[in-house]
């Protein structure tokens, strides 16, 4: 394991590579601990590089056997180290051949070439290729790859690589065979992939709009072929959608997906050979929930869309990571919205943004969407780069309009195809097609933190005017004490108490703003006065969540209830419900901390009753509307001196109050949505199941005995995993024999299915009871638990640290102790996973003083360890502010 102290990498220090590698010929011999890789590189000096510079190639823990330059053998003692190959005097153009030996089974970092089960597979983003062979392992070196893979016919009957298959054959006199793959499209090393193993193939084909037939393959473990059908269907729908929505056609003859059980990330977009965490491929009604199906659809689409936004156009350096990831998240969100419900998809995307990215922006790990410096690039695959990066693209489209945005995307694909681009290349395309100066807009890429938008609303009945005063401010973040105003698009409308809309008229706004209902805040403040308003209006602000901001308004609870009942913007109807619940719980938190009694919640419950009464109109939206803000949401709203226990009890009290007040309505909804017929993962059916399970949760909160009986019956009778796990989730919060019986039954029924058992571990880790820590420690000794499998570790320890705020943040620090122990143990095995687990401390500075001190002490214990990996050292130092 690397334990050297990483030096900062700075965007300002970027320089072009001294050499370029035009063609790469790899000969990979898969042979267990004696796996060998011969790399023949056709290299030339880069005219944009430094004249006379030595050749320096990256390596990482490499065991080198030989190095030759233009046929001349080089001295390994003078040129080769495990982490670097340096040759001082080289010609302007030459061929370098290296041979390295690997032990994939010993590679527990799961970066480079490793084994997942019996299969060989790779993960090279961001810097994994250097663990296979010496290379200029940076994204701005684009090469054409030809890969010969050799393996045992029995152990590895399937040999897969990037691009198109050009040759296969047997090696005479042996039990071995080979396959040669050629990718004609230049790509960086991080997109290299190979797979060798005994895998089952699910085949299909897709005909592109130009008439080319593309062979499609999804490779899975034998016996799991039936679970790959939905992934294949999602792939074909993604290919068609990208042609229709963005004019992008697939450019190879073959597209393969391989599902593996040991994977650090979700999936990887390697050119023509996507490698997936199997949780984002495998699904049957009896093993996968509606959420799993939606994730499979979204992740399959995301990785496929990378073929253009990430592969054909890649990023010049890792600081530009958002250029491929944020843009591709935007594209996969649009795809899923078109496949399902745009409004509900938008709500769910904002939930994710607020849960994962907003806390990151508010804590010590805050960073720009395009960072300016990093110590370990693996730690910047973050919600800020992905989700906030997508929000920036969405704002850009809103600001310049659909037509200019599509023309800008077309120009980007045309101009930057085959290049390693930067954010400026991307934005310039839209500046040209829209005719707008987007310099101010680009601050979203260079300024960390979530802006707070405050809106004061004043209606003057006699003057028939509504005055809206907008102000923005962003809190300081590490390295950025002073913040500049951002360009914030504000989509708004005005309605009266019946829901009737007002025509927008203001001398202080442009005709385009009034016509589109999208107003731009470019400075610290702006006043807009709407005229000819003949009755009191209620502003519907930030429709569709038009910018990633925290919103404070002077709207009353009564105003919010009107919006909940009548606003035509579905997102703002949901937001009104969330804001009402948040305000109630904030008051309850104060009451609990001060020994008082929370307010009566009947008014809010009555509003939800009205929403539930019309549940048949849109069950999916209704489900979202009645799910209360999470404990993490509330912690974000409290902001400082957070007491997780007070938040937990405030939310528990409100859930109970709603469950009791609406018991009859909830039971009517629950019974009315009883399943009939076969399971289908379509959006409408999923929405009905989501609402039924949300109703069950509230019934149990108000009447635990009734809820337990209903949940137990649903658990026993469910014909799909969504309903079974929904029932088990309700039971998991109700102590008693029914819970333990159901948990035991669930494990026995699914013991051989790793992805389902991950759910079993996760549910128990999130039980909000004092005994949960002991339960989690006991589960770590369970025969089904493994520290070496990232999915299993995330299911148990990750769920405890990120999904159980009251127990992870136990005042005595016992929850922190568990995480620290796990991180330190994992650091030597898999630094990436260890670092991501440690990021659960991202909001420690917002805790109340007692917990804050204990959390800081826990982080200092990690920091004090001498042999930390660069991954973990980076997270702990930034968390502590060092």
């Amino acid at each position: 394991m690397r334990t050297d102290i990483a030096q900062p990498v700075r965007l300002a220090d970027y320089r072009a590579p001294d050499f370029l590698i035009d063609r790469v010929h790899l000969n990979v011999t898969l042979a267990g601990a004696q796996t060998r890789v011969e790399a023949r590189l056709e290299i030339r000096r880069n005219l944009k590089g430094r004249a006379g510079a030595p050749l320096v190639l990256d390596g990482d823990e490499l065991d080198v056997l030989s190095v030759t330059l233009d046929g001349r053998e080089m001295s390994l003692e003078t040129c080769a180290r495990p982490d670097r190959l340096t040759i001082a005097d080289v010609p302007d153009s030459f061929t370098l051949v290296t041979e390295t030996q690997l032990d994939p089974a010993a590679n527990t970092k799961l970066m480079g070439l490793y084994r997942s089960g019996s299969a060989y597979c790779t993960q090279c983003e961001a810097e994994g290729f250097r663990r296979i062979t010496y290379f200029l392992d940076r994204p701005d070196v684009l090469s054409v790859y030809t890969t010969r893979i050799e393996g045992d016919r029995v152990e590895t009957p399937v040999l897969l690589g990037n691009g198109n298959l050009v040759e296969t054959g047997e090696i005479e006199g042996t039990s071995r065979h080979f396959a040669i793959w050629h990718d004609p499209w230049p790509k960086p090393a991080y997109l290299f992939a190979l797979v060798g193993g005994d895998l089952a193939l699910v085949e299909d084909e897709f005909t592109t709009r130009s008439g080319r037939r593309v062979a499609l393959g999804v490779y899975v473990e034998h016996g799991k072929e039936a679970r790959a059908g939905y992934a294949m269907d999602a792939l074909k729908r993604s290919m068609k959608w990208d042609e229709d929505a963005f004019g992008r056609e697939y450019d190879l003859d073959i597209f393969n997906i391989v599902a593996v059980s040991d994977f650090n990330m979700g999936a990887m977009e390697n050119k023509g050979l996507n490698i997936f965490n199997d949780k984002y491929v495998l699904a049957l009604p009896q093993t996968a929930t509606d959420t799993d199906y939606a994730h499979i659809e979204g992740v399959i689409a995301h990785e496929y869309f990378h073929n253009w936004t990430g592969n054909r156009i890649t990023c010049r350096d890792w600081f530009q990571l958002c250029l491929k990831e944020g843009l591709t998240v935007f594209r996969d969100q649009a795809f899923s919205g078109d496949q399902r419900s745009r409004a509900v998809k938008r709500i769910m995307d904002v939930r994710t943004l607020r849960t994962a990215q907003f806390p990151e922006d508010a804590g010590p790990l805050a960073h720009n969407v395009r960072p300016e410096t990093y110590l370990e690039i693996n730690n910047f695959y973050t919600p800020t780069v992905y989700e906030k990066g997508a929000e920036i693209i969405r704002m850009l489209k809103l600001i310049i309009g659909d037509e200019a945005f599509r023309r800008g995307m077309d120009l980007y694909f045309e101009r930057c195809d085959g290049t390693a681009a930067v954010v400026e290349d991307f934005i310039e395309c839209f500046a040209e097609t829209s005719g707008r100066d987007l310099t101010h807009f680009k601050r979203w890429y260079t300024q960390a933190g979530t802006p707070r938008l405050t809106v004061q609303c004043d209606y003057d009945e006699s003057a028939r005017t509504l005055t809206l005063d907008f102000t923005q401010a962003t809190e300081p973040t590490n390295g950025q004490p002073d913040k500049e105003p951002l360009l914030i698009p504000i989509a708004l409308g005005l309605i009266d108490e019946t829901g009737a809309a007002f025509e927008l008229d203001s001398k202080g706004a442009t005709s385009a703003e009034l016509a589109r209902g999208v107003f731009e805040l470019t400075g610290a403040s702006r006043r807009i006065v709407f005229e000819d308003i003949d009755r009191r209006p209620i502003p519907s602000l930030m429709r569709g969540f038009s910018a990633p901001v925290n919103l404070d308004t002077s709207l009353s609870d009564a105003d919010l209830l009107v919006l909940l009942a009548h606003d035509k913007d579905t997102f703002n109807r949901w937001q009104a419900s969330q804001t009402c619940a948040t305000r109630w719980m904030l008051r309850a938190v104060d009451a609990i901390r001060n020994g008082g009694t929370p307010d009566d919640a009947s008014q809010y419950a009555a509003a939800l009753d009205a929403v539930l009464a019309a549940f048949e109109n849109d069950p999916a939206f209704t489900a979202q509307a009645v799910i209360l803000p999470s404990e993490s949401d509330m912690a974000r709203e409290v902001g400082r001196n957070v007491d997780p226990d007070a938040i937990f009890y405030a939310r528990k009290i409100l859930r109970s109050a709603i469950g009791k007040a609406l018991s009859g309505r909830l039971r009517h909804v629950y019974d009315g949505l009883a399943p009939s017929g076969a399971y289908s993962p379509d959006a409408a059916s999923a929405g009905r199941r989501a609402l039924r399970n949300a109703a069950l949760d509230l019934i149990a909160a108000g009447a635990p005995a009734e809820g337990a009986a209903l949940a137990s019956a649903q658990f026993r009778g469910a014909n799909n995993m969504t309903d079974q796990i929904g029932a088990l989730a309700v039971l998991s919060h109700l102590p008693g024999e029914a819970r333990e019986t159901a948990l035991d039954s669930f494990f026995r029924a699914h013991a051989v299915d790793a992805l389902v058992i991950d759910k079993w571990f996760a549910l128990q880790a999130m039980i909000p009871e004092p005994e949960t820590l002991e339960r989690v420690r006991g589960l770590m000794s369970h025969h089904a638990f493994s520290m070496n499998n990232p999915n299993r570790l995330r299911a148990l320890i990750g769920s405890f640290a990120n999904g159980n705020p009251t127990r992870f943040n136990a005042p005595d620090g016992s929850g922190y102790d568990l995480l620290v122990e796990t991180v330190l143990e994992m650091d030597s095995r898999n630094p990436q996973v260890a670092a991501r687990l440690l990021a659960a401390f991202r909001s420690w500075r917002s805790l109340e003083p007692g917990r804050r001190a204990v959390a800081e002490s826990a982080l200092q214990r990690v920091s004090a360890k001498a042999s930390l990996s660069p991954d973990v050292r980076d997270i702990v130092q930034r968390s502590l502010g060092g």
Side-chain angles (χ1 to χ4, degrees), residues 461-482:
E461 184 176 7
S462 60
R464 293 164 48 112
T465 60
L466 172 70
T467 301
L468 298 181
D469 285 308
F470 299 90
T471 58
Q472 64 166 300
T474 305
E475 291 288 323
T477 55
N478 286 343
Q480 287 187 340
D482 301 314

Side-chain angles (χ1 to χ4, degrees), residues 296-309:
I296 288 169
E297 180 180 81
V299 177
I300 290 281
H302 181 93
E303 303 308 326
Y304 174 75
F305 296 155
H306 265 313
N307 187 60
W308 278 92
T309 50

Side-chain angles (χ1 to χ4, degrees), residues 33-271:
Q34 284 76 47
T35 291
R36 294 196 176 190
V37 178
E38 180 188 81
R40 180 159 57 89
L41 313 179
E42 298 180 25
I43 305 176
R44 59 183 168 90
R45 285 195 181 274
N46 184 7
L47 297 178
K48 297 180 180 179
R50 298 172 300 165
L55 175 70
V56 180
L57 301 183
D58 301 303
D60 186 359
E61 298 183 340
L62 289 178
D63 180 6
V64 59
L65 303 178
S66 66
V67 178
T68 63
L69 192 154
D70 285 342
R72 178 167 55 94
E73 188 168 348
M74 309 299 294
S75 168
L76 299 184
E77 290 185 1
T78 58
C79 72
R81 299 187 334 212
D83 64 341
R84 181 165 297 183
L85 178 71
T86 305
I87 303 177
D89 298 315
V90 296
D92 291 342
S93 179
F94 56 95
T95 298
L96 182 76
V97 180
T98 64
E99 186 175 15
T100 53
Q101 181 167 295
L102 312 175
D103 182 0
N107 182 5
T108 62
K109 294 181 179 179
L110 310 187
M111 286 292 291
L113 178 61
Y114 67 95
R115 301 197 78 162
S116 178
S118 63
Y120 296 85
C121 62
T122 57
Q123 170 58 31
C124 292
E125 188 176 359
E127 296 176 339
F129 192 69
R130 66 186 64 186
R131 294 177 60 78
I132 298 173
T133 188
Y134 293 106
F135 205 75
L136 287 172
D137 195 3
R138 45 189 289 170
D140 56 352
V141 175
L142 310 182
S143 312
V144 173
Y145 283 71
T146 301
T147 306
R148 180 186 182 276
I149 311 168
E150 177 189 315
D152 182 83
R153 278 195 306 266
V154 174
E155 183 184 41
T156 57
V158 173
L159 299 173
L160 303 174
N162 300 106
N164 297 319
L165 180 63
V166 296
E167 185 180 352
T168 62
E170 305 293 323
I171 300 176
E172 189 174 351
T174 73
S175 62
R176 301 178 69 77
H177 69 141
F178 71 90
I180 299 176
W181 293 81
H182 177 70
D183 183 1
W185 301 102
K187 64 174 178 286
Y190 80 84
L191 291 173
F192 170 80
L194 71 79
V195 171
D198 184 7
L199 300 168
L201 169 62
V202 177
E203 297 180 273
D204 208 328
E205 68 173 27
F206 178 81
T207 301
T208 69
R209 62 180 184 176
S210 68
R212 288 191 311 104
R213 295 172 67 179
V214 180
L216 307 179
V218 178
Y219 289 85
V220 298
E221 294 177 6
H222 288 285
K224 296 182 178 179
E225 295 91 332
R227 302 189 188 193
Y230 191 76
M232 180 66 81
D233 177 66
L235 173 60
K236 295 173 69 175
R237 285 186 283 119
S238 301
M239 297 177 80
K240 180 65 166 61
W241 184 88
D242 211 17
E243 291 183 343
D244 295 341
F246 285 92
R248 298 301 100 194
E249 185 174 325
Y250 187 61
D251 53 3
L252 291 169
D253 301 331
I254 299 172
F255 187 90
N256 285 323
I257 290 172
V258 179
V260 300
S261 58
D262 300 286
F263 205 71
N264 283 346
M265 301 183 183
M268 182 60 210
E269 69 269 18
N270 318 295
K271 184 73 176 180

Side-chain angles (χ1 to χ4, degrees), residues 683-867:
S685 300
R688 295 176 68 83
R689 283 187 291 271
L691 179 55
R692 189 168 192 257
N693 283 314
L696 176 62
D697 179 69
L698 289 172
I699 290 170
E706 180 186 3
L710 288 174
S712 294
Q714 178 175 310
F715 176 81
R716 291 190 300 269
N719 70 347
N720 64 83
M721 181 54 63
T722 301
D723 286 340
Q724 188 172 53
I725 205 73
L728 188 57
V730 169
L731 288 171
S732 73
H733 286 243
L734 300 173
E737 183 179 350
R739 174 175 73 188
E740 304 309 322
T741 298
L743 285 169
D744 289 345
S745 172
F746 188 86
F747 182 84
R748 289 195 304 272
H750 302 287
V752 297
D753 194 313
L755 294 178
V756 178
I757 296 304
D758 284 341
K759 303 178 194 301
W760 182 78
F761 277 104
L763 276 182
Q764 295 182 78
M766 293 187 289
I767 294 173
E769 297 171 5
E771 298 79 16
T772 295
L773 179 64
E774 182 180 351
R775 181 188 291 262
V776 170
R777 287 192 177 277
L779 288 169
M780 293 178 73
S781 300
H782 194 282
H783 67 84
F785 182 75
S786 170
M787 293 279 280
N788 291 326
N789 181 266
N791 282 352
R792 189 57 43 88
L793 192 61
R794 286 186 288 255
L796 184 61
I797 305 303
S799 295
F800 175 76
N802 294 291
N804 196 343
T806 185
R807 300 323 313 159
F808 174 61
N809 294 291
D812 64 359
S814 55
Y816 304 148
D817 291 342
L818 173 66
L819 185 62
V820 167
E821 292 166 18
T822 305
V823 166
L824 292 178
E825 181 176 349
M826 280 301 300
D827 192 30
S828 60
R829 304 188 202 181
N830 192 326
Q832 278 192 35
V833 170
R836 288 179 181 138
L837 287 174
L838 189 62
F841 280 104
R842 63 185 177 273
S843 299
W844 73 272
R845 290 186 182 276
S846 67
L847 295 167
E848 51 82 20
R851 287 178 171 88
R852 192 187 316 147
V854 177
E856 183 175 22
S857 176
L859 286 166
Q860 287 172 340
R861 290 203 306 278
V862 177
S863 181
K865 186 174 180 182
S867 58

